[in-house]
Amino acid sequence: MSHPTSATAEPLVDPAVHEQVMAEAERIKALGEASERLARDPVNQPTISNWLEAMGNDNPRFRQGEAPPSMVQVWTMYGLGGKAPADDPLHAMMNVLTDTGFTAVLGTNCEQSYERYLRVGEQLRVTTALDSVVGPKKTAMGVGYFVTSRSTWYVDHEDGSAEQVASMLFRVLKFVPTRAVQPPVDPPEASVADAADGPDASRFVLRPMKNRDTEFFWEGTAAGELRVQRCNACGVLRHPPGPACPSCGALDRGHVAASGRGTVFSYVVHRHPPVPGRELPILLVLVDLDEGVRMVGELVDTEPTEVEIGMPVQVDFRRVDDDLTLPVWRRTGPAEGSRA
Amino acid sequence: MTGDTGRTLSRQTAIVGIGATEFSKESGRSELQLSVEAARAALADCGLTPADVDGLTTFTMDTSSEIALARELGIPELRFFSRINYGGGAACATVQQAAMAVATGVADVVVCYRGFNERSGSRFGQFSVAAATQVNTNGLDNAWTYPMGLGTPAATVAMQARRYLHEYGATSEDFGRVAVADRRHAATNPNAFFYGKPITLEDHQASRMIAEPLHLLDCCQESDGAVALVVTSADRARDLPHPPAYVVAAAQGSGRDQFVMTSYYRDDIGIPEMGVVGRELWRQSGLGPDDMAMGVLYDHFTPYVLMQLEELGFCGPGEAKDFIADGAIEIGGRLPLNTHGGQLGEAYIHGMNGIAEGVRQVRGTSVNQVPDVQHLVVTAGTGVPTSGLVLGR
């Protein structure tokens, strides 16, 4: 399936542009660990508790003065309206690539290493360095450069020593889109600020098309409610929604909040090809809601081998940003009559 | 649902010319040029010229407009042009449009065409952000699946396939038998991309998972190429070089609560739209499944071939796995399918190459010729609003 390329094939990127990109990369790499910032607050129990609740983690260890290592990024997030410092190497490199035509961004991977558990009361400091710029590469998304930054978290001690407690390699692809119609791409500022949501948080977000017939559903998910259209004339429930009742024809409609309980009617383990902004595999379920309608959503916190038809599930909500909250599903038990 | 007995489309028109480019992974030329080449080949095949053509039909998805193709071919004037929506579901409907136009005197000679660089250009097998951001009701429909992460053709089919396995106790190997048959036929077709490359059921089972329960070898290829067909009246057809492939029936179908690839909200999440097509084909033709010497069933994904056999009435619901066992759908079996190699084996030209194979079988010129073909059935894209044909001598 590969296309042979001869030695005389056209370069992927204009040599002059490539030279400029790599020169800028060297300059920014030479800045070393920059963009130094202190965490807004010391490690503290209320923030840990909120994080545990959001993650569905009830490990008692983290109620006794220790913080989960994987929330290290939380401590140094910019906060609402926060901006990356002017000397931030990652943003500087992103800007160079944007200005040279590599306008699109896709988070590819993120590796965190933890030296130890953090303790309540410790004050963190973070630095960011540009680790590498590799390219040009031809990818399915387009031609671009892989940009890797390294964030390092420290705790400064009274004796003047700085103890490294965690680090993170964060890699994005900055590319020239190949497709005529481009996905909406989150700006890198938002990507980095959101990175604590997971390794692929710098992803672009595929936003659902909405109109006045369907926006109530998305307003519902944002409010933590799974809304199902209900005909005000005959009471029939319907999903997906639409302007005219398929049962009685009435145009007068409202909605009800579903219980969020259902069972798996069918499912898919999506392994290939890539889904922009998502890690694979993705488990997708077609859920028979207790209310009698069906819905598609991602099944989270479940292994592909665990999912089966008939398995009971419960809705949850994954907030992506102010404009989008997706309904997702969690298993609540084994399928009726199953071996599990 | 039934038409006037005195009015029928059956046998009023015929496919008289077929043409195609080579099938590849990188054509190296524009999509419009591919369609020009295929249309010229189809006209040459039936001894007609662009000056004889007064109608063009294609897919809504095709990137080459009728007027662009007319300019390049040098067609002086067009009296009829039409496009059909819903991806590969349009294939047989392009012939239906042509047949209706010719039968009613709206046009005399209609070329149906489809050309694309579907591997080297925009790949249909990928996650389609464009499909999810259309500013129309299709885009709204896709809001219930794509943002959740369900947005490749294979994944959308897998949802139906998983349920099918569950309901009827079929297995992945039953899907695999379709791929084996297709690739066996492609292996002896020099025009097929997989010419000389048959597979075994073990190969199928060992191929990597794409969207469970679908393996790689359950999914058709992505291809570059074009196919064109020439439709004219039965009277005129008799004066042309090849035996006419009469359009014995031509139907479209859309089912209850229909969506594009995601008709998940009706009780049965199979493909009842193909049942609509089948019933109409049998009504128009006065024939039934037992009268079909063979079939060209749209095979972008293997599970749909099983479902189509059931919807078209070749067997009952859930019986396809037994129907296809023991090589029944291979050449020499009781219902050979996709003798060109199908879209898994020959090329994925959105079903148009399958119609061309149907014409060759009626003419008696297929590389995998089925003896004494009087009638055969051809279908278009599945999982979508679709279409079908009965072709015959």
Side-chain angles (χ1 to χ4, degrees):
Chain A
M1 300 267 176
S2 66
H3 307 297
T5 47
S6 68
T8 55
E10 283 219 352
L12 294 171
V13 170
D14 181 319
V17 171
H18 176 70
E19 203 168 299
Q20 181 192 350
V21 166
M22 296 317 281
E24 282 295 296
E26 286 309 312
R27 180 185 67 79
I28 295 166
K29 273 159 71 177
L31 298 175
E33 294 188 29
S35 186
E36 183 170 286
R37 289 180 297 123
L38 286 176
R40 290 192 297 174
D41 298 296
V43 174
N44 61 83
Q45 190 61 49
T47 304
I48 295 170
S49 299
N50 286 333
W51 190 89
L52 292 173
E53 193 176 311
M55 293 293 166
N57 182 333
D58 55 5
N59 187 339
R61 173 171 189 164
F62 303 127
R63 305 281 179 190
Q64 297 163 16
E66 281 187 317
S70 54
M71 69 179 290
V72 64
Q73 247 185 313
V74 171
W75 304 115
T76 51
M77 286 177 75
Y78 295 117
L80 275 179
K83 285 249 186 306
D87 66 343
D88 184 82
L90 175 59
H91 287 75
M93 194 63 226
M94 299 289 254
N95 288 338
V96 167
L97 285 163
T98 301
D99 292 346
T100 44
F102 300 89
T103 52
V105 63
L106 182 69
T108 56
N109 56 311
C110 173
E111 299 159 27
Q112 295 188 343
S113 318
Y114 316 111
E115 304 300 328
R116 65 166 172 84
Y117 290 76
L118 297 175
R119 289 181 290 275
V120 168
E122 290 187 306
Q123 175 68 48
L124 262 70
R125 175 168 62 86
V126 67
T127 65
T128 302
L130 181 64
D131 191 73
S132 68
V133 176
V134 177
K137 297 279 188 188
K138 188 176 181 185
T139 75
M141 300 293 291
V143 170
Y145 289 83
F146 287 98
V147 177
T148 306
S149 66
R150 178 189 298 276
S151 297
T152 312
W153 284 269
Y154 297 95
V155 170
D156 296 311
H157 294 292
E158 284 179 7
D159 64 3
S161 66
E163 179 194 7
Q164 178 177 329
V165 293
S167 64
M168 173 176 79
L169 285 175
F170 182 70
R171 184 168 300 126
V172 299
L173 173 66
K174 277 289 278 179
F175 61 100
V176 181
T178 48
R179 302 186 68 102
V181 178
Q182 267 311 300
V185 172
D186 278 357
E189 288 76 11
S191 309
V192 174
D194 285 343
D197 289 345
D200 54 352
S202 72
R203 66 204 184 198
F204 86 109
V205 174
L206 179 56
R207 299 187 186 281
M209 297 293 290
K210 303 174 197 175
N211 73 354
R212 58 191 70 191
D213 298 331
T214 68
E215 61 195 3
F216 75 92
F217 179 88
W218 301 104
E219 289 163 6
T221 57
E225 211 174 85
L226 190 66
R227 292 179 179 170
V228 176
Q229 180 174 314
R230 178 182 177 278
C231 175
N232 284 343
C234 75
V236 158
L237 298 181
R238 178 191 192 189
H239 184 85
C245 176
S247 181
C248 75
L251 300 172
D252 178 18
R253 59 199 182 274
H255 58 260
V256 296
S259 66
R261 287 188 300 271
T263 56
V264 172
F265 180 80
S266 190
Y267 66 94
V268 176
V269 184
H270 180 100
R271 296 193 180 276
H272 189 81
V275 175
R278 293 293 188 84
E279 285 194 1
L280 301 182
I282 307 176
L283 264 65
L284 293 148
V285 286
L286 180 58
V287 178
D288 265 335
L289 270 64
D290 285 0
E291 287 79 6
V293 298
R294 247 180 235 150
M295 252 177 227
V296 170
E298 184 175 349
L299 181 67
V300 298
D301 294 343
T302 306
E303 292 300 313
T305 51
E306 294 173 328
V307 56
E308 53 188 338
I309 288 173
M311 193 173 88
V313 290
Q314 171 74 42
V315 79
D316 198 353
F317 298 96
R318 177 194 287 155
R319 183 182 176 281
V320 177
D321 56 30
D322 285 348
D323 295 325
L324 179 63
T325 297
L326 291 172
V328 296
W329 298 86
R330 294 179 188 280
R331 67 189 298 218
T332 54
E336 207 169 302
S338 86
R339 307 169 305 280
Chain B
M1 292 293 275
T2 53
D4 293 350
T5 47
R7 293 161 55 211
T8 179
L9 186 61
S10 185
R11 293 189 166 275
Q12 306 232 11
T13 64
I15 302 176
V16 294
I18 56 176
T21 63
E22 83 288 1
F23 304 131
S24 75
K25 299 296 179 192
E26 184 150 22
S27 74
R29 28 212 215 280
S30 73
E31 296 184 332
L32 177 57
Q33 182 175 335
L34 294 176
S35 288
V36 169
E37 292 177 22
R40 282 183 179 170
L43 288 167
D45 180 54
C46 59
L48 295 176
T49 70
D52 295 310
V53 177
D54 59 358
L56 289 172
T57 65
T58 187
F59 295 49
T60 303
M61 276 185 86
D62 203 279
T63 61
S64 301
S65 73
E66 305 94 306
I67 55 172
L69 185 61
R71 285 197 308 263
E72 300 311 310
L73 289 174
I75 296 171
E77 292 178 346
L78 284 174
R79 295 196 292 149
F80 172 71
F81 30 93
S82 164
R83 289 182 170 220
I84 302 295
N85 207 338
Y86 310 116
C92 295
T94 64
V95 174
Q96 186 199 38
Q97 289 283 301
M100 291 193 297
V102 170
T104 53
V106 166
D108 286 329
V109 175
V110 180
V111 174
C112 316
Y113 67 96
R114 179 78 174 112
F116 52 27
N117 287 322
E118 197 264 323
R119 177 60 180 78
S120 68
S122 180
R123 299 175 59 179
F124 292 2
Q126 303 290 306
F127 189 95
S128 175
V129 171
T133 51
Q134 301 171 79
V135 186
N136 55 34
T137 56
N138 288 349
L140 287 169
D141 288 350
N142 289 337
W144 309 113
T145 46
Y146 282 65
M148 285 64 168
L150 184 71
T152 65
T156 54
V157 175
M159 193 69 88
Q160 290 169 291
R162 171 66 69 189
R163 187 68 199 183
Y164 182 89
L165 296 179
H166 176 81
E167 298 243 333
Y168 299 121
T171 67
S172 166
E173 293 193 345
D174 296 319
F175 296 158
R177 284 181 243 282
V178 174
V180 170
D182 275 356
R183 291 289 292 270
R184 178 184 166 192
H185 300 156
T188 51
N189 172 7
N191 293 324
F193 187 80
F194 287 114
Y195 175 53
K197 293 178 181 167
I199 59 166
T200 63
L201 200 53
E202 291 69 38
D203 295 332
H204 170 271
Q205 289 293 297
S207 66
R208 68 172 163 154
M209 280 293 183
I210 298 298
E212 291 177 31
L214 300 185
H215 290 266
L216 176 66
L217 291 176
D218 287 308
C219 311
C220 78
Q221 2 169 21
E222 295 170 313
S223 306
D224 287 10
V227 169
L229 311 163
V230 183
V231 175
T232 192
S233 67
D235 282 346
R236 192 164 182 179
R238 287 188 265 275
D239 298 331
L240 296 173
H242 296 289
Y246 291 105
V247 178
V248 180
Q252 284 188 293
S254 171
R256 184 185 179 83
D257 208 8
Q258 181 76 49
F259 285 72
V260 176
M261 299 303 287
T262 57
S263 298
Y264 297 152
Y265 311 101
R266 48 197 184 192
D267 291 344
D268 169 10
I269 65 167
I271 51 169
E273 53 278 0
M274 191 58 82
V276 177
V277 169
R279 290 193 297 277
E280 178 60 12
L281 291 177
W282 308 141
R283 186 194 70 79
Q284 282 183 24
S285 65
L287 302 170
D290 290 346
D291 299 309
M292 300 297 115
M294 59 160 296
V296 179
L297 301 189
Y298 200 94
D299 58 341
H300 50 163
F301 297 98
T302 57
Y304 281 146
V305 174
L306 276 70
M307 295 183 207
Q308 286 182 84
L309 287 166
E310 296 167 11
E311 289 291 343
L312 293 171
F314 286 97
C315 59
E319 295 174 1
K321 65 180 191 299
D322 303 317
F323 185 91
I324 68 166
D326 305 323
I329 56 171
E330 298 181 26
I331 198 84
R334 70 176 176 280
L335 184 74
L337 294 182
N338 304 343
T339 45
H340 56 319
Q343 304 193 93
L344 283 92
E346 186 183 59
Y348 175 74
I349 312 294
H350 246 164
M352 295 296 270
N353 51 321
I355 302 174
E357 173 67 3
V359 172
R360 285 188 292 267
Q361 286 284 355
V362 170
R363 290 178 179 179
T365 60
S366 170
V367 293
N368 292 313
Q369 185 63 42
V370 173
D372 192 31
V373 173
Q374 295 294 324
H375 296 103
L376 59 91
V377 62
V378 186
T379 58
T382 28
V384 295
T386 187
S387 53
L389 296 170
V390 173
L391 300 178
R393 288 192 189 171

